[in-house]
Amino acid sequence: MSAGFLRNGGKSYHFIHSLLQRHSIADSIGAPILRRRPHQQQQSKAYDGRFPHSIYRKIREFEFSSPSTFFSSPFSSTAVSSQKVGLVGWYLGMVKSRPILTKSITSALIYTAADLSSQTIAAPASEPYDLIRTLRMAGYGMLILGPSLHFWFNFVSKILPKRDLITTFKKIMMGQILYGPTMTVVFFSVNAALQGENGTEIIARLKRDLLPTMISGVMYWPVCDFVTFKFVPVHLQPLVSNSFSYLWTVYMTYMASLEKAS
């Protein structure tokens, strides 16, 4: 009986010993170290050969990817950069694909907002808004100012492509001598003609309003033009100029709404 027990005990010992060799042995930190038998390694290689390599590589990359990648926050820099295609991205795309139309619509919207602001400031509270006047201003921004800004800034950037200080001052002088007076005359003339004034009345209005408007422009626009020409890319210069022109347009629409000159 004792001999049988010893034989059974020896078999049990060999069974436990082979079981330990077959399974994992814990290392110092508790991570299992797997040991494969030779026929298992050959079977794994054969299986790896049958498994598509690209899919296998993707699985391995997913297995060993860091937890920070899997549990990344939606407010991380990568997520934020991928969500930049919003209103600004759409607008920049429209500026590149349809520059004249986009800048014209932008000018029309700014002139509309500026005229409504001008009426709110100058008109009495009991007086209703003059929507015909607002429509005139929006049409001017859409059909005249927006396209002219596009061609003007492109023209200036071609003949004076640099952005140094001297070149920037040259661009400002060109704006004050050429573009500014021309567009002011066009603005007063078109607005007066749409109100039914004849040639003589338009000339009288220009004699009365042009010089004060030009003096006000010299005090306002050089600083705005310096920022626009020095720091803003060419394709965005009309947008920045339109943004600066909001306050200026409030003043211009007020001047254009004055009574006929005697």
Side-chain angles (χ1 to χ4, degrees):
M1 181 176 179
S2 60
F5 176 79
L6 289 175
R7 284 197 302 270
N8 293 333
K11 291 180 181 180
S12 300
Y13 170 78
H14 288 295
F15 174 75
I16 294 173
H17 182 70
S18 61
L19 185 63
L20 289 175
Q21 289 182 343
R22 189 178 306 168
H23 291 281
S24 62
I25 302 175
D27 58 1
S28 59
I29 61 173
I33 302 175
L34 300 179
R35 296 181 179 179
R36 295 182 177 179
R37 292 186 178 183
H39 72 276
Q40 291 178 340
Q41 294 179 354
Q42 294 176 359
Q43 184 178 2
S44 176
K45 291 180 179 179
Y47 177 76
D48 292 343
R50 292 193 304 269
F51 201 72
H53 182 68
S54 60
I55 299 177
Y56 179 75
R57 185 175 61 231
K58 293 293 183 180
I59 294 176
R60 299 296 294 176
E61 290 176 356
F62 177 79
E63 287 178 352
F64 293 101
S65 62
S66 61
S68 61
T69 304
F70 186 78
F71 295 103
S72 60
S73 171
F75 300 102
S76 62
S77 59
T78 305
V80 171
S81 62
S82 63
Q83 294 174 357
K84 284 185 177 179
V85 187
L87 182 60
V88 176
W90 173 82
Y91 183 83
L92 295 178
M94 292 298 296
V95 167
K96 291 183 179 180
S97 61
R98 297 182 178 180
I100 298 177
L101 178 62
T102 304
K103 296 168 187 177
S104 298
I105 294 175
T106 302
S107 297
L109 293 176
I110 291 176
Y111 261 71
T112 300
D115 182 68
L116 292 176
S117 301
S118 178
Q119 293 189 47
T120 302
I121 295 171
S126 59
E127 186 176 336
Y129 284 98
D130 187 354
L131 298 181
I132 301 299
R133 166 184 157 177
T134 304
L135 185 61
R136 286 199 305 267
M137 299 303 167
Y140 173 81
M142 178 76 179
L143 301 176
I144 298 176
L145 185 66
S148 68
L149 284 175
H150 170 78
F151 291 112
W152 170 252
F153 283 116
N154 285 345
F155 169 74
V156 172
S157 66
K158 286 181 180 179
I159 63 174
L160 296 172
K162 296 182 180 180
R163 289 192 182 183
D164 57 279
L165 196 60
I166 302 300
T167 305
T168 301
F169 280 116
K170 290 180 180 179
K171 295 177 181 179
I172 293 173
M173 291 300 296
M174 288 180 62
Q176 292 299 313
I177 295 173
L178 298 177
Y179 185 78
T182 301
M183 296 308 298
T184 303
V185 170
V186 172
F187 176 77
F188 282 134
S189 301
V190 170
N191 187 74
L194 291 176
Q195 294 183 76
E197 298 182 14
N198 55 34
T200 303
E201 293 170 336
I202 292 174
I203 293 175
R205 178 183 287 274
L206 291 175
K207 289 180 179 179
R208 184 193 67 183
D209 298 338
L210 182 59
L211 184 59
T213 304
M214 294 300 301
I215 294 174
S216 300
V218 169
M219 293 187 295
Y220 179 76
W221 276 110
V223 177
C224 303
D225 288 341
F226 179 82
V227 175
T228 302
F229 287 121
K230 181 68 176 175
F231 304 108
V232 181
V234 176
H235 67 286
L236 292 180
Q237 286 176 357
L239 172 63
V240 177
S241 181
N242 276 322
S243 301
F244 284 129
S245 70
Y246 172 78
L247 294 176
W248 177 250
T249 306
V250 172
Y251 168 75
M252 289 288 288
T253 54
Y254 166 75
M255 294 294 294
S257 65
L258 295 177
E259 297 293 334
K260 295 179 183 180
S262 58

